[in-house]
Amino acid sequence: MADYHVDWPWLMAGPDPRGDEALRGMKEATSAPDRERWLGVLSDAASSADPAAVERYAIGLAQAGRYAESLRFWRLLVEHLPGTARVLLNMASCLMSAGRLDECAHVMEECARRCRDDDPASSVVRRRRAELDGLRGRLDREQRLLEARADAYRELAAHDRASLSDLKELCRILASLAQQPGSGVTAFEVAEVAERIRAQAPDDVGGMELLGMARILTDDREGLAEVLRRLERVAPDSPVLAAVRAQVTDPGFRSGSDELKRRWDDICRRASHGDPGAADELRRELRSHPHIEQLKVGLLFAVYGQAADGQGDYEEARRLALELAADPRAGHHTHFHVAQFLWNLGERDQARRQFGLALATSESEEDRETVRLAVRTVGAEIADPADGAGG
């Protein structure tokens, strides 16, 4: 899909020479250490709890691409300054920069509801809502067009009438859609088409590049390394190879990964606290990243909590827990959490097995002792590898 850019300048809460200087410094900085230094100035000022300083720190976090952290401060500011349209407009700007357009629209609607006609910000609210509506409409049209094209190429592929170039175009379209919330296209569908291309033309450089892209989307690092080694041999000037090399060495790549992890942490936290929309966000993320354990466990927490509150179904929680228990790639923390859920859901044999796997995959004595404590607390009896006795 086409890139978009909407320029929504930050709205400042009165003059603050030190904070404004730091924000200018961040904007003009040419290195990550310089940006972090200026962000530290903003952080120190925000420790005073002065709302203007906190706002500037939230802006600085957003400028650094740390959107989840920035949003936490905007939410606090909205709670403490409920009648201030400026705060909601800045929160919407942060969501826009993060690409979270549905949430941005929700905040803008709330801003319009709270903003009085005589508020100086009312004209800004109207203009930005119109810009956002126009942007979302354009992106929706582009997504529908891509989905229609994908369906046409899928039809050709299903009847074995797709040429190699058709399959490549299908793979590119699916990769674009897989990164759009609500598209229904998963990274694994992209990978399936990429594998089909490789089977048909194993030495085709374009096909290798698409397979590398699919490996990135599915977080298959070993598979990606294999593709990159082949590209280095047959196409050392490949732009995909150059892009991946740049990502590995560019500090911004790690920053982007950290931001994604922080966003997932934020969604999981809200889901565990009963936020009704967070479980739906987790489901959307899982459609694009079905292999991420953190999201699966987070959804299990959310669904189980909804059931406990009388607003959900324990059967869905049981299904999610059993799916996680059956995943051969599950790690220690997943085994540990799933064991407790399964025990509470009455799946005692499965729970014992998960407790055993949690012990076996512990990386430290602290982890092992935590598992033993949980086993004793619920009254399970399992074989402890450390002493061969029941726990």
Side-chain angles (χ1 to χ4, degrees), residues 268-304:
C268 290
R269 177 191 60 76
R270 288 189 287 111
S272 69
H273 290 166
D275 183 332
D280 292 334
E281 287 184 63
L282 282 172
R283 290 187 175 92
R284 288 196 296 270
E285 291 292 334
L286 274 167
R287 282 197 291 269
S288 297
H289 307 279
H291 57 291
I292 300 297
E293 286 184 31
Q294 175 192 6
L295 299 178
K296 294 178 182 178
V297 175
L299 182 59
L300 176 57
F301 270 99
V303 170
Y304 186 88

Side-chain angles (χ1 to χ4, degrees), residues 104-126:
C104 179
H106 177 75
V107 171
M108 289 302 300
E109 289 171 6
E110 180 66 15
C111 187
R113 187 181 67 79
R114 296 188 188 187
C115 189
R116 302 184 310 274
D117 290 341
D118 60 349
D119 191 313
S122 61
S123 61
V124 179
V125 174
R126 287 193 297 271

Side-chain angles (χ1 to χ4, degrees), residues 310-325:
Q311 301 173 356
D313 185 356
Y314 279 115
E315 285 307 310
E316 184 182 2
R318 179 177 284 103
R319 177 181 61 77
L320 289 168
L322 290 173
E323 285 179 3
L324 278 165

Side-chain angles (χ1 to χ4, degrees), residues 156-158 160-162 167 191-201:
L156 288 174
D160 291 323
R161 291 190 285 112
L167 290 174
E192 287 173 3
V193 177
E195 291 287 359
R196 185 167 175 176
I197 293 169
R198 177 165 72 166
Q200 184 171 322

Side-chain angles (χ1 to χ4, degrees), residues 67-314:
Y67 301 116
E69 293 176 68
S70 177
L71 285 168
R72 281 196 284 273
F73 283 102
W74 290 121
R75 292 190 183 100
L76 286 172
L77 287 162
V78 168
E79 290 178 10
H80 288 89
L81 302 170
T84 308
R86 183 196 67 256
V87 175
L88 283 168
L89 285 166
N90 282 336
M91 183 177 179
S93 294
C94 182
L95 288 164
M96 170 68 76
S97 298
R100 296 161 64 168
L101 301 189
D102 289 345
E103 295 170 75
C104 179
H106 177 75
V107 171
M108 289 302 300
E109 289 171 6
E110 180 66 15
C111 187
R113 187 181 67 79
R114 296 188 188 187
C115 189
R116 302 184 310 274
D117 290 341
D118 60 349
D119 191 313
S122 61
S123 61
V124 179
V125 174
R126 287 193 297 271
R127 185 178 70 252
R128 292 191 179 183
R129 288 188 77 192
E131 290 174 346
L132 178 60
D133 288 344
L135 173 61
R136 294 177 79 202
R138 180 166 63 82
L139 293 177
D140 284 344
R141 289 191 296 273
E142 290 180 5
Q143 180 161 326
R144 286 196 300 271
L145 177 60
L146 280 181
E147 289 169 346
R149 292 180 63 201
D151 287 340
Y153 283 116
R154 283 189 183 113
E155 184 73 13
L156 288 174
H159 293 89
D160 291 323
R161 291 190 285 112
S163 66
L164 181 61
S165 61
D166 290 335
L167 290 174
K168 288 181 179 179
E169 187 62 16
L170 173 59
C171 193
R172 294 187 191 97
I173 293 171
L174 292 177
S176 178
L177 289 172
Q179 299 173 73
Q180 304 305 317
S183 74
V185 175
T186 69
F188 287 97
E189 185 179 2
V190 181
E192 287 173 3
V193 177
E195 291 287 359
R196 185 167 175 176
I197 293 169
R198 177 165 72 166
Q200 184 171 322
D203 297 324
D204 184 88
V205 172
M208 291 183 204
E209 292 174 339
L210 289 170
L211 185 60
M213 177 180 62
R215 295 284 189 255
I216 292 171
L217 290 175
T218 57
D219 198 26
D220 181 355
R221 299 184 183 185
E222 291 184 7
L224 176 60
E226 175 199 354
V227 173
L228 295 179
R229 284 194 295 270
R230 294 188 66 201
L231 280 172
E232 284 174 343
R233 289 196 302 271
V234 302
D237 58 343
S238 163
V240 171
L241 187 60
V244 173
R245 283 174 176 156
Q247 287 179 337
V248 170
T249 58
D250 183 0
F253 178 64
R254 180 170 294 278
S255 175
S257 298
D258 290 345
E259 169 56 29
L260 184 61
K261 176 67 164 57
R262 283 191 291 268
R263 180 158 66 87
W264 287 342
D265 286 342
D266 178 60
I267 298 172
C268 290
R269 177 191 60 76
R270 288 189 287 111
S272 69
H273 290 166
D275 183 332
D280 292 334
E281 287 184 63
L282 282 172
R283 290 187 175 92
R284 288 196 296 270
E285 291 292 334
L286 274 167
R287 282 197 291 269
S288 297
H289 307 279
H291 57 291
I292 300 297
E293 286 184 31
Q294 175 192 6
L295 299 178
K296 294 178 182 178
V297 175
L299 182 59
L300 176 57
F301 270 99
V303 170
Y304 186 88
Q306 289 173 344
D309 291 339
Q311 301 173 356
D313 185 356
Y314 279 115

